[in-house]
Amino acid sequence: MKPADPRDITIIGGGPVGLFAAFYAGMRGVSCRIVDSLPELGGQLTALYPEKYVYDVGGFARISARDLARNMIEQGLQFGAEVRLEEQVQDLIREDSGFTLTTDLGRYPTRAVVIAGGKGAFAPRYLECPGYDRLLGRGVSYHVKDPALYQGKSILVVGGGDSAVDWALSLKDHTRRLILIHRREGFRAHAHSMALLQRAVEAGTVELLTHKEVREIHGGDCVTAVTIFDNRTNEEMRFEIDVVLALIGFKPDLGPMARWGLELQKNSIKVGPAMQTNITGVYAVGDICTYEGKLELIATGFGEACIAVNHAVHAINPAARYNPGHSTNLKIFKDREAAESAAGVAAAD
Ligand code: NAP
């Protein structure tokens, strides 16, 4: 397979943090390429919760995940970053001039690599109960792609994290019946969501059952019922339902990156203060990296992307300063604004 044209930086992952890294690479005047296994850019924002609102990104009091992804794509690709979607990364081969990153479809020479792979490949956790595999896609689902599909249906939501609670709250007013079960008393979901859930339970729009797990999902061609059990007493209950939404999280899965020789802590990549991994020239940012005090937030991921790219730029070209300076003063934007204003004057003439 013929290698693609070399790039200064290859970013693995086209989620918000990878896109911000692409923006920074462009702003610093280096070439970059984004590689992602998903069919669209945006990472979790588009793949997991496009309809939800995000409240903790600077500059937006509230923004839907879909709109945030759209803005991030506009910002991230403005300097012409190349995007390779639906490609699974395979190997990282060290070369004299840096690396060649291989995917199932291509070979990508690069001076540096920034891994912004989120939680890794999305590997949903599955319910281990009879009926789950057989009815997956026929009433059983591990994500919500199109909320309209659940209109007027009886739904069992499983889970105690933000996905389960947020979707229970989003769907409750459009379903015939919505039951939320969780395997213990404590929830992982945000306190604010739990307060809203409590209100929905009091209003009778959500039936909440704790210490319950799924024993079996019933149905022929599609889901017709579910049997759940109390994990303290083993007492069983059966509900006639149309849909089981098993929103029980995702397993971190580094896939082939796990064999690159990166220093790992559980399923995360250990990084130093410059976001560098133990492999010189390879940086990791966002949810996939770990260090003391790490917070898995988009907001912190942006800062990590900025640090990683600026260090990579300096490593690629030691004459380039690490500190980019303030964007308000940068020549790259001033030149563009001058060109835009000249084009505007020419058009007006
Ligand atoms: P999660 O936070 O990992 O929660 C998964 C839930 O499923 C947990 O409550 C867990 O129970 C339960 N669970 C796991 N395996 C189970 C099994 N075999 N049977 C029954 N229950 C099981 O996953 P998530 O809710 O998908 O969220 C993933 C990440 O995305 C989180 O960081 C979350 O905050 C984030 N997210 C944020 C938003 C938002 O901010 N609006 C929305 C969606 C997701 P235990 O608690 O007992 O382990």
Side-chain angles (χ1 to χ4, degrees), residues 44 49 52-53 125-127 158-164 166 182-184 188 190 247-250:
Q44 291 190 34
Y49 46 92
K52 306 251 173 78
Y53 285 103
R125 282 202 202 99
Y126 299 125
L127 282 180
V158 186
D162 283 309
S163 297
D166 282 4
H182 180 36
R183 63 184 177 185
R184 62 191 175 95
R188 291 175 193 265
H190 291 146
L247 305 179
I248 58 174
F250 291 80

Side-chain angles (χ1 to χ4, degrees), residues 22-43:
F23 160 71
Y24 243 93
M27 192 179 90
R28 293 302 315 269
V30 299
S31 61
C32 93
R33 173 182 280 129
I34 300 173
V35 179
D36 197 312
S37 60
L38 292 171
E40 40 178 342
L41 290 169

